[in-house]
């Protein structure tokens, strides 16, 4: 999982603020996945993106959450008007192509909403 | 989506003991990976193993795709093996990885 860079590693937000989490995939990888891990639980899929395209956002809440992966720059997961239930670890993963390849995870971003 | 079940949910081992972790999945898969989440939360790739057997040091894994299960073997366990082990599968007809709920391993000296 070396090479997938996430920042910030830790983020504290008050209820109602916005959280922005960034992910730079491994060099040569054009596919990015975002997962959320609640305390004591497994990882839940949120969204799958390729450059400039959202391929599958079936795991993302319909409101307040959005994701992008622009042509230049990192992928961004944005959470508006955060609530305490958004407190979790958010992991980004990348892979070189669509299917049948190893995915590599970043070290995660821990969001705490107070 | 595909169902992924891992067993046992919790495991406590004496240092030096061996163990087998199991992952069952409910449909055909393109991809199966084992991960170790260490106590600091980092997810470490262990194996990419959609089928067959692989070994890496004290760890080995076997996936029998036709019977929809995979096994992770840990031999001569060490305290640094502690953490949660996740199995994740990519369904043939999907774009996402489905994670099991994990096996929490504690190795005591």
């Amino acid at each position: 999982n070396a090479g997938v860079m996430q920042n910030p590693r830790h983020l504290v937000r008050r209820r109602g603020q916005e959280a922005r989490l960034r992910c730079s995939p491994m060099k040569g990888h054009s596919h990015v996945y975002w997962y959320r891990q609640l305390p004591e639980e497994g990882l839940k899929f949120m969204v799958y993106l390729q450059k400039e395209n959202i391929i599958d956002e079936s795991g993302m809440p319909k409101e307040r959450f959005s994701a992008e992966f622009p042509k230049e720059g990192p992928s961004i997961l944005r959470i508006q008007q955060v609530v305490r239930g958004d407190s979790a670890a958010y992991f980004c993963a990348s892979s070189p192509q669509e299917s049948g390849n190893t995915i590599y995870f970043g070290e995660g971003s821990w969001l705490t909403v107070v | 989506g595909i169902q992924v079940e891992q067993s046992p949910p919790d495991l406590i081992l004496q240092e030096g003991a061996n163990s087998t972790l199991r992952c069952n999945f409910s449909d055909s898969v393109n991809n199966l990976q084992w991960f170790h989440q260490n106590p600091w939360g980092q997810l470490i790739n262990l194996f990419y193993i959609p089928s067959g057997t692989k070994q890496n040091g004290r760890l080995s894994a076997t996936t029998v795709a036709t019977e929809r299960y995979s096994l992770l073997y840990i031999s001569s366990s060490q305290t640094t093996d502690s953490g949660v082990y996740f199995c994740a599968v990519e369904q043939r007809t999907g774009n996402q990885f489905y994670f099991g709920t994990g096996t929490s391993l504690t190795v005591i000296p």
Side-chain angles (χ1 to χ4, degrees), chain A:
Chain A
N1 51 332
V4 179
M5 303 301 293
Q6 289 188 246
N7 68 83
R9 292 293 314 282
H10 299 275
L11 183 63
V12 179
R13 285 286 178 265
R14 296 186 182 280
R15 280 178 294 172
Q17 291 185 318
E18 178 179 287
R20 283 194 182 215
L21 310 177
R22 295 173 189 78
C23 170
S24 296
M26 285 182 71
K27 187 176 181 180
H29 288 193
S30 57
H31 298 250
V32 165
Y33 306 79
W34 284 95
Y35 283 80
R36 176 165 64 176
Q37 185 178 33
L38 295 170
E40 308 299 325
E41 294 189 9
L43 280 78
K44 303 293 185 191
F45 169 80
M46 298 183 75
V47 62
Y48 163 48
L49 310 104
Q50 295 177 26
K51 284 282 188 182
E52 301 184 278
N53 286 306
I54 297 174
I55 306 302
D56 182 351
E57 57 181 349
S58 58
M60 197 130 82
K62 294 286 186 279
E63 297 179 355
R64 303 188 298 107
F65 285 73
S66 63
E68 63 176 3
F69 189 16
K71 186 176 180 181
E72 302 291 337
S75 175
I76 295 175
L77 179 67
R78 181 182 178 203
I79 311 172
Q80 295 177 291
Q81 299 174 326
V82 296
V83 301
R84 287 217 172 116
D86 296 333
S87 296
Y90 292 84
F91 286 93
C92 168
S94 73
S95 71
Q97 62 185 61
E98 182 170 341
S99 178
N101 277 272
T102 304
I103 63 168
Y104 296 89
F105 279 89
E107 295 189 330
S109 291
W110 269 258
L111 171 66
T112 302
V113 180
V114 297

Side-chain angles (χ1 to χ4, degrees), chain A residues 1 37 99-101 103 107, chain B residues 30-31 33 37 42-43 48:
Chain A
N1 51 332
Q37 185 178 33
S99 178
N101 277 272
I103 63 168
E107 295 189 330
Chain B
N30 263 346
N31 189 345
Q33 291 184 228
Q37 187 169 37
Q42 295 175 311
L43 281 160
Y48 163 74

